[in-house]
Amino acid sequence: KNEVEQSPQNLTAQEGEFITINCSYSVGISALHWLQQHPGGGIVSLFMLSSGKKKHGRLIATINIQEKHSSLHITASHPRDSAVYICAANTPSNYQLIWGAGTKLIIKP
Amino acid sequence: GAGVSQSPSNKVTEKGKDVELRCDPISGHTALYWYRQSLGQGLEFLIYFQGNSAPDKSGLPSDRFSAERTGGSVSTLTIQRTQQEDSAVYLCASSWAGPGQKAFFGQGTRLTVV
C-alpha cells in the first residue's frame, strides 16, 4: 500500500463543475503539498498545508490531521484547469517527499 | 529500475565546493525534469530534458548550475561553488514523452551546504 494515495486517478468533468481530488496518507507528516503539472510540463506548487484550509482564487485545499486526509477543490472549473494534480507529503525530518500518483483532470468546454 | 532513482540521497558539502547529483529515470522515459524544494517552500522548476537536449533551462538559478543528460538516460545536475542558499531537496522526475504526460518522481537528494 502506498503511503500517499490519491483518488481518483483520472477525472473528466464539464466546465463549471465543482471538482474534488482526495489525498490520504498513512505516515506522520510535517506538511502536505498540492502541486499542478501543466500540459506544458512545468510543475507549480499550489499549496503547502500543515493544518486547516487555504484558498487561492478558485482553488481550496483542506487538511484533516486526525483523519490523515487532504482535499483539493476547484470551483467553477475551466478547461485551463486541465492538468495533473499531485499531492506530496513532507515527513517530519523535512527530508523526503512522499508522492501520490497524481490525478489527471480534464475539463471539457 | 522500477522507479526514478536519485543519488546520493543525502549530501553535506562545504560552501564553495562543487557537487554532482545523479538521476536515473525510468527506462524508456524520454523526458526528464529537475526541480528543487527549499526548506518550507514549494517546488521550483530547474530544467527539462527531451532526450539529451534541454529545450527549457529557464529555471536554472545561476550560471553555477548546469545539467547534462547522456544516452537519453542518466542525468547529472552540477552545482559549482556551492552557497548556503543552495541547500534544498533536489528532485528528479521522468515521463514517457514530453510535457503533458504524467511524471514520476524520485525521492530526492537532500543537499546541505555548511
Side-chain angles (χ1 to χ4, degrees), chain A residues 60-96:
Chain A
I60 303 166
T62 63
I63 189 167
N64 184 316
I65 299 298
Q66 287 74 30
E67 294 186 3
K68 294 189 173 180
H69 181 268
S70 177
S71 293
L72 177 69
H73 305 285
I74 306 174
T75 62
S77 59
H78 190 275
R80 64 175 175 268
D81 297 327
S82 298
V84 176
Y85 293 84
I86 306 165
C87 73
N90 266 123
T91 56
S93 65
N94 242 358
Y95 159 37
Q96 284 189 332

Side-chain angles (χ1 to χ4, degrees), chain B residues 1-113:
Chain B
V4 177
S5 176
Q6 290 188 246
S7 61
S9 55
N10 199 3
K11 175 75 176 177
V12 180
T13 190
E14 292 181 354
K15 179 180 171 181
K17 295 281 179 72
D18 298 351
V19 295
E20 281 190 356
L21 311 180
R22 177 187 168 106
C23 173
D24 279 278
I26 292 173
S27 179
H29 280 193
T30 59
L32 186 145
Y33 309 81
W34 282 99
Y35 302 87
R36 73 175 175 182
Q37 186 196 22
S38 301
L39 193 64
Q41 304 297 314
L43 279 185
E44 178 186 1
F45 169 75
L46 298 178
I47 188 169
Y48 156 59
F49 285 94
Q50 181 61 44
N52 291 336
S53 64
D56 190 348
K57 304 179 183 180
S58 62
L60 293 176
S62 76
D63 59 7
R64 297 186 295 105
F65 286 72
S66 63
E68 65 174 14
R69 189 178 184 197
T70 55
S73 181
V74 171
S75 177
T76 304
L77 177 69
T78 302
I79 310 172
Q80 295 177 309
R81 306 180 303 281
T82 52
Q83 303 294 313
Q84 286 187 328
E85 62 263 27
D86 299 334
S87 297
V89 175
Y90 288 81
L91 289 151
C92 175
S94 69
S95 66
W96 283 112
Q101 301 299 313
K102 191 164 148 182
F104 296 81
F105 288 82
Q107 285 197 307
T109 294
R110 185 188 192 192
L111 175 66
T112 304
V113 182

